[in-house]
Amino acid sequence: MKHIIESQQFDRKFIEKIFKVADGFESKTDQSLKGKIMASLFYEPSTRTRFSFESAMLRLGGSVITTENAKEFSSASKGETLEDSIRVISNYADLIVMRHYEQGAAERASLVSEVPVINAGDGPGQHPTQALLDLYTIKRELKKIDGISIAMVGDLKNGRTIRSLTYLLGKYKNIMIYFVSPKELKVGNDIKEYLKKHNVEFFEIQDLSAVISKVDVLYQTRIQKERFVNSKEYEKFKGCYQIDLKQVDKMKVKSILMHPLPRVDEILCEVDSSPKAVYFKQTKYGLLVRMALLKFVLSKK
Ligand code: CP
């Protein structure tokens, strides 16, 4: 079964294949998933991931059954285990797209599901389909992935998108990564060990101004309020790296500013009209990549 659980499972050949199919969806219609049903099961809030997966399924001719806020609106609220919910839902759908607040939940679901499971974010764990769309954005905007330098900025301890994207970048050549965060929110050791093992050069710094004019990609992230023990802890870091137009002017001419979204205050709205700001394009690319992934997961080959 073709579960999508973590970025490490992809190789370059697979990634290139998905990107080629995604390119094709920009100009052609495809109703090949007619008769198929996708269940979207979200235990945490989402705008982009849930709507883009649902839109992707509908655009491919398929149907969607869904619950937002599954913690409250599914029988989880009565004490049903994740495993029991998945066993049941996998009788009603041909695949399950699931977001959960616990790291490892998608893998647990995949172990009992009768149909493929796609991890749409598992707590501070991973968000592999976001990583694929992020990489696709880099390829579309910079026309290359090998050889790029990237600054990942913000809450690197709790941010699952940077974790998944780092694992993917580790598969490419001559990548330079700058992890920019407060020392309390540094990227996890598992990521650093993976990069060392794959000979990917990286630096951990606190000062964004030291690298802002050097990198091809500035990947800004939100401080993950929901992962802090209390609001006082969160307030200590809120607004610690804020990108305004003055900062964007320091970036290389052909560089791009990305963000998985949602944003709070870490990129000011005055930046949105800059040609370097590609975070809304990123959401459009996400639809194409998720269409390609659905087609792959539900194809017989
Ligand atoms: N980037 C992302 O996962 O956005 P949502 O939380 O809105 O799905």
Side-chain angles (χ1 to χ4, degrees), residues 136-169:
Y136 184 67
T137 302
I138 293 170
K139 176 135 194 255
R140 290 286 300 254
E141 293 300 312
L142 298 180
K143 315 288 178 226
K144 63 171 186 175
I145 301 172
D146 286 323
I148 64 155
S149 58
I150 180 168
M152 299 198 187
V153 184
D155 182 355
L156 308 185
K157 179 181 171 194
N158 298 303
R160 58 193 172 205
T161 67
I162 72 100
R163 291 173 58 76
S164 290
L165 180 57
T166 302
Y167 279 123
L168 281 195
L169 287 170

Side-chain angles (χ1 to χ4, degrees), residues 153-155 208 218-224 234 237-244 247-248 257-269 271 279:
V153 184
D155 182 355
L208 176 59
L218 178 50
Y219 190 96
Q220 173 68 309
T221 65
R222 178 175 64 91
I223 304 295
Q224 306 272 304
Y234 166 69
F237 302 107
K238 186 177 178 291
C240 60
Y241 299 104
Q242 210 165 50
I243 306 290
D244 58 15
Q247 299 263 61
V248 170
L257 173 60
M258 296 174 64
H259 192 308
L261 303 180
R263 69 170 154 188
V264 184
D265 57 0
E266 61 279 358
I267 299 179
L268 300 192
C269 294
V271 173
Y279 30 90

Side-chain angles (χ1 to χ4, degrees), residues 42 45-50 99 127 130 160-161 260-262:
F42 277 61
S46 167
T47 303
R48 279 143 293 276
T49 312
R50 188 163 74 92
R99 170 169 291 184
H127 196 350
Q130 176 73 42
R160 58 193 172 205
T161 67
L261 303 180

Side-chain angles (χ1 to χ4, degrees), residues 12 135 138 144-150 152 165-166 168-178 195 198-203 216:
R12 282 183 70 144
L135 202 65
I138 293 170
K144 63 171 186 175
I145 301 172
D146 286 323
I148 64 155
S149 58
I150 180 168
M152 299 198 187
L165 180 57
T166 302
L168 281 195
L169 287 170
K171 297 173 189 296
Y172 287 79
K173 291 184 197 139
N174 302 322
I175 301 292
M176 170 73 84
I177 304 179
Y178 298 99
L195 292 176
H198 290 82
N199 297 316
V200 180
E201 217 172 340
F202 70 91
F203 294 94
D216 302 302

